[in-house]
Amino acid sequence: MKIGLMVDNAIYFTDGSKTTFSCPADLLSYVVGAGKLTVYLTDFSAFNPFMAHIVAHLPRNEHHASLSWDAIISTKGRFFSFEVTIDRDNRTKFYELSNLLRDGYRADTGDSIPHILEILRIYEQADLCRITAGSASMKAYHEGDIRDYQRHFPHLTEEQDRALRPAYLGGYMIAREGHWGECIDIDCNSMYPSILRDEWLPFGEPEHYDGAYQQDDDMPLHVDKIIFRADLKPDGYAFLNDGRMRYGRDAARLTTTDGYITRTLTDIDQKLLMENYDVTVYKHVEGWKFRRSKGFFFGFVSQYGAMKMSNTGDRRQFAKLIMNALVGKMASMPRDGILLPKSDDGRMLDWIPAKKQASNLNTTYLPVPIWVNAYARRRLLHVCRANADRLVYANTDGCALLGWDVPQGCEVDPIELGKWKISAKYERMTILAINRYQGWKPDGTVDICMAGNLFSTPIPYSQYHHGVEVVDDYGTHVML
């Protein structure tokens, strides 16, 4: 298997070789006898002429029959893969690079191509050149033994997944808007991987029950559907959401339920509910209980955690991403609806909705991500409460505190997994909303967080406030 990077009309391979082509027919001629290739793309739109040429002349086949193609493009138009199979010995997979590396690497200039090839070599050496970061992480975890994985983490039915998914709450977030003086930004080193390694997590088939949970030492973890009303305590943290996902200010966090509501919560979140709200429970409707274990992820996290702590640069980023992507992969929803390319003339592309055949290699197991998120919420809220008089911002695995004093309620270490590091010190910090702030450091540099937009140059302090219109690196006008 050769690994390559396609930029403009050339494919650069990790072994140092290179091939060029002038038209789609040239590229197909190369693919016909090139053996097995995995080629990463940096510009999906530039790949369209080749797709049009292929789909006009070859049939689609999901089972990769000889002289066929297959594709995965989401219903929102996000490109994942396009595969061309000539025969059993000649098959090329085209993947989108940013789905693997996630940080939006771009190969717009010749100078950046060697760097990206070096990163791909790291994945190649680990045999993890996959379609997405989640797929690479899952491959690193089960090491090819998918049957053993599914024995411990079986694929749940659609009904079970639908019933449990409301318990998969987002991370806790809060933003206290304003212009602040000295602040520190702290975050937990690899919070999710450390939880995978250290905490009790569910495995196996859930067992359903009606009413309230009754203590079961064999199945001590449980998630319950409860009807209740709640009002935030004076010193409580509003971690309940209103059931709608949206970005921006934290208006979606409930300070009161305004009557009775129905929520599905883990045992951990039920304790957090009682700690942070005054609660009246009307009814325990039903629940699901699980066996628990601490050992399943120890080796995986230990291996890549040691790599992260002992390396810098690209190798450190590789280890970090492989560890962090596993939880999201286990929570992924099956993608049955896709778009398929269609071309009648081999030049122009059209897109048609289609259904993707379900795979028996599905690795989704929602209970683990549900509990990992709940443990993360508990850890973050503990640190927030310990530093309540200093807290100005929090988001999932970190927070910003007034002053430069050492934070309370957590162990501080710059690299050890599960401990907290001071990632930045700011002389001043302006917070406009969740995922929208800037922090000015003593050395004159500025940390920029503007989710949904790219700003390589900070917005001047005097202009960084609500009501100001700015333009990001792509020319998009943004109202602060």
Side-chain angles (χ1 to χ4, degrees):
M1 174 73 73
K2 291 181 65 175
I3 309 299
L5 174 69
M6 181 173 165
V7 181
D8 298 328
N9 291 329
I11 300 177
Y12 303 82
F13 291 99
T14 54
D15 63 5
S17 61
K18 173 185 174 182
T19 187
T20 59
F21 52 91
S22 60
C23 63
D26 279 353
L27 180 55
L28 177 58
S29 296
Y30 175 75
V31 165
V32 165
K36 295 181 179 179
L37 308 177
T38 297
V39 178
Y40 287 94
L41 311 176
T42 60
D43 185 357
F44 166 45
S45 61
F47 187 64
N48 286 348
F50 178 71
M51 279 201 297
H53 183 72
I54 292 296
V55 302
H57 295 93
L58 295 179
R60 180 194 177 218
N61 186 284
E62 286 189 82
H63 303 290
H64 311 296
S66 295
L67 296 176
S68 69
W69 62 271
D70 192 20
I72 302 176
I73 294 96
S74 77
T75 53
K76 295 182 179 180
R78 184 176 179 182
F79 177 82
F80 285 91
S81 74
F82 185 79
E83 302 186 20
V84 181
T85 302
I86 304 302
D87 53 42
R88 62 185 299 174
D89 298 318
N90 295 277
R91 178 182 174 194
T92 300
K93 305 174 185 178
F94 295 93
Y95 295 155
E96 166 61 48
L97 181 66
S98 63
N99 290 331
L100 177 70
L101 304 185
R102 285 194 175 175
D103 288 329
Y105 287 92
R106 293 294 180 264
D108 296 327
T109 67
D111 290 340
S112 63
I113 292 172
H115 180 215
I116 295 178
L117 288 174
E118 187 58 39
I119 295 171
L120 289 178
R121 287 188 189 98
I122 297 173
Y123 281 83
E124 183 180 19
Q125 290 165 6
D127 192 23
L128 296 179
C129 289
R130 312 292 284 187
I131 185 172
T132 63
S135 295
S137 179
M138 181 58 69
K139 171 67 162 50
Y141 174 65
H142 66 58
E143 297 180 327
D145 192 351
I146 189 68
R147 291 186 179 180
D148 185 65
Y149 172 89
Q150 292 179 331
R151 183 167 61 87
H152 297 113
F153 306 112
H155 182 54
L156 304 184
T157 66
E158 288 187 20
E159 182 181 0
Q160 289 171 326
D161 187 275
R162 187 166 51 250
L164 293 172
R165 198 160 285 275
Y168 187 43
L169 306 180
Y172 176 71
M173 298 179 288
I174 186 173
R176 293 177 177 167
E177 299 176 18
H179 297 278
W180 307 99
E182 292 182 347
C183 294
I184 57 171
D185 182 16
I186 66 171
D187 63 77
C188 183
N189 295 313
S190 299
M191 179 181 276
Y192 282 10
S194 69
I195 290 170
L196 287 174
R197 180 191 63 187
D198 298 335
E199 303 287 2
W200 291 107
L201 294 170
F203 72 97
E205 291 279 356
E207 183 176 313
H208 176 265
Y209 54 86
D210 293 317
Y213 171 77
Q214 303 297 322
Q215 182 60 41
D216 183 344
D217 292 340
D218 292 328
M219 306 185 82
L221 301 185
H222 58 98
V223 57
D224 299 273
K225 186 175 183 179
I226 309 171
I227 302 174
F228 64 91
R229 63 179 301 163
D231 297 287
L232 191 67
K233 293 179 179 179
D235 62 345
Y237 289 86
F239 75 92
L240 286 178
N241 60 46
D242 64 2
R244 292 176 291 174
M245 297 298 294
R246 58 179 185 258
Y247 295 95
R249 303 184 184 186
D250 54 348
R253 299 291 157 179
L254 296 179
T255 57
T256 178
T257 59
D258 289 323
Y260 287 96
I261 63 172
T262 303
R263 288 290 185 271
T264 304
L265 302 172
T266 64
D267 43 12
I268 296 171
D269 285 321
Q270 290 175 54
K271 292 178 182 177
L272 291 177
L273 180 69
M274 299 302 176
E275 291 173 5
N276 291 282
Y277 292 84
D278 291 317
V279 181
T280 302
V281 176
Y282 171 70
K283 183 179 181 181
H284 286 83
V285 181
E286 60 181 337
W288 298 263
K289 56 185 179 179
F290 296 84
R291 296 191 293 271
R292 69 177 188 178
S293 172
K294 274 189 180 182
F296 288 125
F297 301 95
F298 184 85
F300 169 75
V301 176
S302 296
Q303 176 185 349
Y304 288 95
M307 182 184 297
K308 178 189 173 186
M309 290 189 290
S310 61
N311 284 276
T312 59
D314 294 330
R315 287 192 176 276
R316 183 182 187 278
Q317 177 65 18
F318 162 76
K320 177 181 177 181
L321 187 54
I322 292 299
M323 285 195 299
N324 288 343
L326 185 61
V327 171
K329 178 63 175 176
M330 295 184 77
S332 60
M333 298 181 68
R335 186 183 293 106
D336 54 353
I338 57 174
L339 295 177
L340 291 178
K342 179 179 182 296
S343 179
D344 295 325
D345 59 7
R347 293 189 300 272
M348 300 297 294
L349 268 180
D350 197 3
W351 302 95
I352 56 174
K355 292 288 186 180
K356 181 171 175 59
Q357 185 175 334
S359 170
N360 60 0
L361 301 180
N362 193 305
T363 54
T364 299
Y365 184 74
L366 189 59
V368 165
I370 286 175
W371 260 269
V372 168
N373 272 262
Y375 282 120
R377 235 180 334 273
R378 186 174 71 179
R379 287 189 184 184
L380 181 60
L381 289 178
H382 174 76
V383 173
C384 289
R385 189 176 294 279
N387 299 275
D389 58 336
R390 301 172 57 192
L391 181 68
V392 292
Y393 186 87
N395 190 350
T396 308
D397 65 350
C399 53
L401 308 174
L402 293 175
W404 287 358
D405 294 337
V406 175
Q408 303 299 308
C410 59
E411 292 185 76
V412 177
D413 188 276
I415 60 172
E416 187 171 341
L417 270 62
K419 295 187 178 180
W420 294 68
K421 69 174 180 290
I422 299 175
S423 56
K425 290 185 176 181
Y426 303 127
E427 288 186 332
R428 52 186 178 178
M429 183 177 188
T430 298
I431 300 171
L432 300 183
I434 292 169
N435 290 327
R436 186 156 290 192
Y437 64 81
Q438 287 191 165
W440 286 262
K441 296 180 178 180
D443 62 4
T445 59
V446 182
D447 281 348
I448 306 168
C449 180
M450 292 285 287
N453 301 98
L454 178 63
F455 287 84
S456 56
T457 302
I459 301 165
Y461 181 80
S462 60
Q463 299 177 31
Y464 195 69
H465 55 80
H466 289 302
V468 174
E469 183 176 327
V470 295
V471 181
D472 71 5
D473 291 358
Y474 293 110
T476 304
H477 289 255
V478 181
M479 184 65 70
L480 297 178

